[in-house]
Each structure stands twice: as C-alpha cells, then as structure tokens.
Amino acid sequence: MVIIISMTDLKPARILAIETSCDETAAAVLENGRVLLASTVASQMDIHARYGGVYPEVAARQHVLSILPVIKQTLAQAHFVLSDINAIAATRGPGLAGSLVVGLNAAKGLALGAGLPLVGVNHLEGHIYSAWVYDAGNNPPLEPQFPLIALLVSGGHTELNLMDNHLSYKRLGATLDDAAGEAFDKVARLLGLPYPGGPSVQKAAEGGNPTAFKFPRAWLEGTWNFSFSGLKTAVLKEVKKMDGRPLPVSDLAASFQAAVVNVLVIKTVNAAREYKVKQIVVGGGVSANLPLRNAFLEQTEFPVNIPRLSLCTDNASMIAAAGYFRYAFGHTDRLEIDILPTWPLS
Ligand code: KG4
Ligand code: ZN
C-alpha cells in the first residue's frame, strides 16, 4: 500500500544547501522544502566557453576559490547564521568527481563545525524537486501530487520516472544515446553557435521555420526510451550538403528543436496517461527551453510543474528542496560519505 504523506505532516526545517556537480558553484537557504530564502550561483560559463565545454580540472579549482564566498553571501542574504539552520545538504552525485568533492567536503566541514546533520543529495532528484520551489511571499506552485511522472532533461540525462511518493523513483525509460541537452550542445557546435548550446539553439530558432527540414523522431514504440543521436546525424547531413555555403542556421535550429520538443512532450503525456498520474513534473537544464515549456503548458490534460527559469539550470535551491525531504524522512548521512560521480536515481 502506498502511504502518501502530506506536506503539512512534515517537520519544519531550514536547509543550507551546496551544489558543485559541474561548473556552477551554488548555495541556497530554503524553508520547509519549498520556500526560497536566499540563493547564489557563481557561474563559470565564461571561463569554459573558451574551451567549448566544461574543463573538469579548471571547474574544480574554480569551486575551491568560490565556495566559501558563495556560502557566506547566501547566509548573509537570508540574514541567517549557521545556528538558524537545521541541516546541511550537498550534492553527492552524479557529476564531475573533482567538482563534487569540493562541495561535499565544504558541507562536511560546516556540518561538523556547527554540529548539524549532513544530507547527501542526488543531483537528479534535485532537478525534480526544483519544480515545487517558490519565493517567500509569492503564490506557491501546485503541491506534489502522487503518482506523478517526472521528465528529467539535462546535459547528462534524459529519463522518465514514475513517482508513487516522495523520494521514490521507478525509471520507466531513458535515452539510449545522447541526452537532450547534449544533443542541443552538439547541434549548436555543428551550426557554429556558441556554448552553452541549448540557449544558443533556442535563440537561433526564433526566426526559423520549424517545418523547413523533416528531421526524424525516434519514437521507440513500446518503450519509454529516447534516442537523439539519429536526429543529430540528420542535422550533420544537412550541414554537409551545404558544402561550405552559408547554412540556413535558423531553419535548421528550429526544425531540430521542434523534433526534440515533439518527442519529449508526446512520450511524457503518453506515459502520464498510461500510469494515470495526477501531475507531470519537468526538470533539468533543458526545461528552460521556451518551446518545450509552452508545449507542456498548452496541453491541458495534466497539471504540469516546471521550475521557474532561474531554477532550471544547476542551482542549490533544488538541492535544498530534495535535501529537506530527505531530512524530514530521516535520511541523513554520516560525515564519512564519499561522492558518487555515477548515481542512478533508481
Ligand atoms: O541541468 P543542467 O544545468 O546541467 C546538468 O545537470 O547537465 O543542464 C545543462 C543542459 C545543457 O546541455 C544546456 O545546453 C541545456 O541544459 N539547456 C538548454 C536550455 N538552457 C540550458 N537546452 C535547450 N534550451 C534551453 N533554453
Ligand atoms: Zn543539472
């Protein structure tokens, strides 16, 4: 029997969270798993842009430089000191090992020094929980309602999960090759668009015709899996056909984006119907994509929670949100825990 615990049954708590899984050094303070009190994200985007992608060692060293100022600034913004906090959460994985170590060790130090519980959080779980976060004083988005389907679309992951309750995940399907964000990044490179690829492709697509190119959709009927590498190859073929002549960048970007959005929305809604869910949740960097957001919001069959734009890409309020539910359900960790660079949700 599934017992669903209502938000009001959970103990109140303020969580200070740290996120350093990739190239953003971030900290946040969140109350009761949903109310955002302060958030800081120090982006390394400009540094990595010159390499065309994240350079792991550079990322780790930037985290070392930024972590303490980011934590201090976040606490100051919330007008809190550590004694106002109930637990410290940090991303334990998945992510770049050198980056994760910096954030998790900072969290361990704070937890030890302040005598607070430590909560290691799965970054993917964070992306899902960011959909319910809102600013103090604003109207809250719809509460979590189970069962729900969570579509996770980031630079490293694309998967559909069924959640029967908090912190419970059944992976229905995932990408067999490239993640959706990875496909955006690779196609951006093919089209000569700057890093990070997702926002560049979205911008280039604005003036383009989404039906100019008939790009393939991998439906993978009978499964909840995805595949984007064929689509990427189809874009490459069109680029090669031009043989050095100026590319119709906007039409290529718009047609590629339409194919990704089409598959993501239709498969997610079909899964929502099949499992008779009460809610769809979309999370991860690609959930910042406006055509994707609009397509989800335009279907009216299921209520949809998508994080607000600033919470779609990596941040620490998402880690605080998932960390709160872990803490409230008694899932705290020993200070001896190690990072988990590979850590599937289920
Ligand atoms: O969640 P995230 O910040 O980091 C990971 O956990 O991977 O996701 C980053 C990914 C990148 O591939 C980036 O190109 C993509 O999210 N992304 C977008 C948009 N903004 C970020 N993709 C499409 N449209 C966007 N507006
Ligand atoms: Zn992420």
Side-chain angles (χ1 to χ4, degrees):
M1 190 181 59
V2 177
I3 300 169
I4 294 170
I5 297 174
S6 129
M7 295 282 307
T8 46
D9 296 336
L10 294 172
K11 61 182 166 188
R14 288 166 178 165
I15 309 290
L16 168 65
I18 296 170
E19 151 66 34
T20 62
S21 66
C22 192
D23 61 339
E24 322 278 5
T25 317
V29 176
L30 196 80
E31 201 162 49
N32 304 339
R34 296 191 67 195
V35 186
L36 183 56
L37 301 180
S39 173
T40 313
V41 180
S43 173
Q44 306 174 7
M45 207 179 279
D46 295 346
I47 298 168
H48 298 288
R50 71 182 84 132
Y51 305 107
V54 178
Y55 193 135
E57 188 183 327
V58 172
R61 296 170 84 150
Q62 282 300 318
H63 287 309
V64 171
L65 295 175
S66 306
I67 190 78
L68 290 181
V70 162
I71 293 169
K72 276 189 189 158
Q73 183 180 319
T74 306
L75 281 171
Q77 205 185 330
H79 304 292
F80 283 165
V81 289
L82 276 177
S83 56
D84 297 312
I85 299 293
N86 300 95
I88 309 285
T91 308
R92 194 179 172 193
L96 300 171
S99 293
L100 289 166
V101 158
V102 179
L104 184 63
N105 278 350
K108 286 181 182 188
L110 289 175
L112 182 66
L116 291 172
L118 174 72
V119 187
V121 172
N122 186 308
H123 181 85
L124 307 177
E125 186 168 59
H127 273 308
I128 294 174
Y129 274 85
S130 65
W132 296 294
V133 171
Y134 63 100
D135 282 321
N138 282 9
N139 281 340
L142 193 66
E143 274 208 13
Q145 287 180 322
F146 302 101
L148 64 83
I149 289 281
L151 170 70
L152 196 61
V153 269
S154 68
H157 295 82
T158 295
E159 55 185 66
L160 272 175
N161 281 282
L162 176 66
M163 292 179 71
D164 280 332
N165 207 336
H166 281 294
L167 311 178
S168 147
Y169 309 94
K170 182 177 175 215
R171 189 156 77 165
L172 302 178
T175 182
L176 302 177
D177 38 59
D178 292 343
E182 194 180 353
F184 269 96
D185 294 336
K186 287 179 176 169
V187 164
R189 229 171 284 159
L190 290 178
L191 301 182
L193 298 170
Y195 169 87
S200 307
V201 170
Q202 183 187 311
K203 193 155 184 283
E206 271 165 22
N209 173 5
T211 59
F213 293 90
K214 302 275 169 287
F215 285 139
R217 273 87 166 138
W219 293 112
L220 307 180
E221 300 285 355
T223 78
W224 301 114
N225 291 330
F226 300 95
S227 167
F228 297 107
S229 73
L231 174 59
K232 177 192 63 192
T233 308
V235 177
L236 175 64
K237 272 193 190 149
E238 293 299 334
V239 170
K240 282 192 172 154
K241 263 194 218 163
M242 294 308 291
D243 202 20
R245 281 167 289 148
L247 292 175
V249 173
S250 293
D251 285 350
L252 285 168
S255 303
F256 160 79
Q257 181 175 253
V260 176
V261 168
N262 195 208
V263 173
L264 290 175
V265 175
I266 289 186
K267 289 203 83 147
T268 305
V269 170
N270 284 345
R273 276 187 203 133
E274 169 95 9
Y275 290 93
K276 299 183 175 48
V277 301
K278 297 200 177 117
Q279 195 175 57
I280 290 175
V281 171
V282 188
V286 182
S287 66
N289 184 266
L290 289 181
L292 180 72
R293 298 169 76 89
N294 290 338
F296 268 115
L297 297 173
E298 275 159 18
Q299 66 74 41
T300 48
E301 203 176 332
F302 297 96
V304 179
N305 273 45
I306 310 181
R308 66 156 196 254
L309 278 177
S310 60
L311 300 185
C312 290
T313 44
D314 293 347
N315 64 86
S317 58
M318 64 190 233
I319 303 305
Y324 165 78
F325 287 93
R326 294 215 150 260
Y327 169 76
F329 287 107
H331 301 279
T332 56
D333 291 291
R334 293 179 308 122
L335 285 181
E336 289 79 8
I337 59 166
D338 193 7
I339 55 161
L340 294 170
T342 306
W343 187 9
L345 257 186
S346 64

